[in-house]
Amino acid sequence: MSDWPTVRFEDLAAPEKSAISKPYGSAFTAKDYVDSGVPMVRGVNLGTGRFVDDGFVYISDSKANQIPGANLRGGDLVFTHRGIIGQVAMVPRSPRFPRYVLSTSQVKARLDPSLALSDFYLYWFLSPAGQRALLSGISTVGVPGLAQPVATIKAIQVPHPPLAVQRAITDVLGALNDKIAVNDRIVATCLELMRSHYEKAISAGSHDVVLGELATFANKQRVPLSSQERNARPGPYPYYGAAGVVGYVDNFLFEGARLLVGEDGSVITPEGRPVTQYVWGKFWVNNHAHVLTGTTISTELLSIALHFTSVGPLVTGAVQPKLSMSNLRRLEVPIPSTEILAELEPTSAGVYQRIRSASTETRHLVKLRDTLLPELMSERLRVKDVEKVVEEAV
């Protein structure tokens, strides 16, 4: 066990108003979105502990000025309090934008640099102990969320080692995260490239084809597992939900490349597109995501094509959004001419090979980081013991 003292998380907050806070009520709605302005940080920007500095919706400067407590800057921690509980990331210290703003599903924490390094506490909240602390405050009524999110996060007991120790741990784990960030940029660039190619192709001429004629559905092979069932059978295979990996289990249902489309809960982006995941390898899928394989178009190119669709009219459910299989099959997808499609397929294959390569390396780096993290946080390993391992990995 660690000999570090523990304190309430709020004791480490910066000495300013709203250092740990969130926007309340309907502070922002889709009507506030503009083409450019202050980027809004949502769950999609938090990833798996890595801030995704892209894919934003924007609000105006004047709107952001109305809620100063929701404004973010480099070094701030961001927690999801509604939806995927346990998500946490840090706004980069050298971000793309001068400021950001929180969505209503997130909580920010700005720490006092004389007491705490945000990087260290990012790693701690990603560790098993930190995840347990966040998940212990979850409410299971309706959409998963933290009851009284700001008060809950303020009250979490966290370790408080000396700053020198915080910095040493941050440096060694940061080397892994830096390499992970490089891979993330490679993946983002690849996707941007393919979307640009596809947009150019359909602008030259396209026709709409319903999704049911472009893909097969393997929904009958899905098997949902409760959290207790997943905890009883831990393993190496990712267990996917509507919007991402929600655990790992000891067996798999699918093998190869598939396109997952959210069915319940997370089904539509703020831009009106379907929530999709391109996955490959061996994996399990629960009953909250449709499982598709491209037929007359490759699965890879299909994932790009769905970026140019709108599912708003097909989503039902006032409280819990749902995109049923029958409705999804009717989704109209813009498809370029047969000749251009044939030209795009080999390009797509090469780009997605690069995506899989970078993403696979990231998975290995994340596994190493997550293995070292609890050992460093509990002082079972010292920084000097792991420096060589990290150096070889990056």
Side-chain angles (χ1 to χ4, degrees):
M1 292 292 292
S2 170
D3 293 328
W4 299 330
T6 59
V7 298
R8 285 171 61 94
F9 190 49
E10 67 175 333
D11 294 337
L12 305 178
E16 61 183 67
K17 184 178 180 181
S18 303
I20 301 178
S21 60
K22 66 176 289 294
Y24 287 90
S26 56
F28 310 113
T29 68
K31 294 180 180 179
D32 295 311
Y33 296 160
V34 295
D35 292 336
S36 63
V38 181
M40 180 178 293
V41 174
R42 303 168 291 158
V44 295
N45 302 110
L46 304 190
T48 53
R50 306 188 302 279
F51 189 84
V52 180
D53 211 353
D54 198 3
F56 297 107
V57 295
Y58 300 88
I59 62 171
S60 66
D61 282 285
S62 59
K63 184 66 178 180
N65 290 338
Q66 293 175 16
I67 311 178
N71 279 230
L72 295 164
R73 65 185 187 215
D76 287 348
L77 295 178
V78 184
F79 303 83
T80 292
H81 72 79
R82 181 175 60 222
I84 304 177
I85 309 305
Q87 271 191 330
V88 56
M90 186 183 79
V91 180
R93 297 193 183 280
S94 299
R96 287 180 57 203
F97 298 89
R99 67 166 169 166
Y100 301 77
V101 70
L102 284 171
S103 86
T104 54
S105 295
Q106 272 68 47
V107 173
K108 84 169 183 187
R110 183 171 297 161
L111 305 185
D112 183 342
S114 69
L115 298 173
L117 293 180
S118 298
D119 314 67
F120 174 83
Y121 285 96
L122 168 65
Y123 294 133
W124 185 80
F125 277 109
L126 290 171
S127 74
Q131 288 289 292
R132 284 195 298 271
L134 288 170
L135 293 173
S136 66
I138 195 171
S139 169
T140 57
V141 178
V143 177
L146 295 180
Q148 299 182 311
V150 173
T152 297
I153 288 175
K154 284 182 174 181
I156 292 174
Q157 292 287 324
V158 299
H160 189 221
L163 274 176
V165 174
Q166 294 182 37
R167 189 168 290 108
I169 291 176
T170 293
D171 287 346
V172 70
L173 293 177
L176 291 173
N177 268 10
D178 288 345
K179 178 58 177 173
I180 291 169
V182 169
N183 287 340
D184 284 347
R185 288 194 293 273
I186 290 172
V187 170
T189 300
C190 286
L191 288 174
E192 184 178 343
L193 174 65
M194 276 311 307
R195 287 168 182 167
S196 176
H197 282 320
Y198 199 86
E199 185 174 27
K200 182 179 179 180
I202 59 177
S203 65
S206 67
H207 59 288
D208 290 339
V209 180
V210 295
L211 184 56
E213 296 179 7
L214 297 171
T216 58
F217 286 69
N219 287 8
K220 291 183 178 180
Q221 293 177 237
R222 304 174 304 177
V223 178
L225 298 175
S226 67
S227 58
Q228 286 184 332
E229 289 173 318
R230 297 197 302 273
N231 291 337
R233 47 185 304 181
Y237 303 107
Y239 177 90
Y240 286 97
V245 176
V246 293
Y248 290 85
V249 292
D250 60 354
N251 208 338
F252 61 93
L253 298 176
F254 300 94
E255 184 174 4
R258 299 289 192 283
L259 181 61
L260 307 185
V261 180
E263 178 176 358
D264 298 291
S266 299
V267 302
I268 184 171
T269 71
E271 300 80 14
R273 305 180 186 116
V275 173
T276 64
Q277 304 171 74
Y278 173 76
V279 300
W280 67 94
K282 298 176 179 179
F283 53 92
W284 194 296
V285 183
N286 68 17
N287 59 345
H288 297 302
H290 302 288
V291 183
L292 282 67
T293 303
T295 52
T296 58
I297 182 174
S298 69
T299 302
E300 289 75 18
L301 208 51
L302 181 62
S303 71
I304 296 297
L306 290 193
H307 182 77
F308 298 93
T309 63
S310 176
V311 294
L314 304 177
V315 175
T316 59
V319 178
Q320 176 82 334
K322 183 176 180 65
L323 180 57
S324 69
M325 184 170 72
S326 59
N327 281 349
L328 181 58
R329 287 176 60 87
R330 296 191 292 110
L331 176 66
E332 294 185 343
V333 183
I335 300 296
S337 68
T338 303
E339 295 77 12
I340 294 180
L341 189 64
E343 294 175 2
L344 283 176
E345 287 289 10
T347 302
S348 173
V351 169
Y352 269 85
Q353 176 57 43
R354 188 70 183 95
I355 288 174
R356 289 191 295 270
S357 176
S359 299
T360 298
E361 183 180 39
T362 291
R363 289 177 183 178
H364 293 321
L365 292 171
V366 168
K367 184 177 181 179
L368 175 59
R369 183 197 66 190
D370 292 349
T371 299
L372 295 176
L373 189 54
E375 303 300 313
L376 288 167
M377 291 298 177
S378 63
E379 294 188 283
R380 290 190 293 267
L381 282 178
R382 304 286 180 175
V383 170
K384 64 180 181 180
D385 299 325
V386 303
E387 287 178 331
K388 182 65 174 176
V389 175
V390 171
E391 182 180 337
E392 292 175 352
V394 300

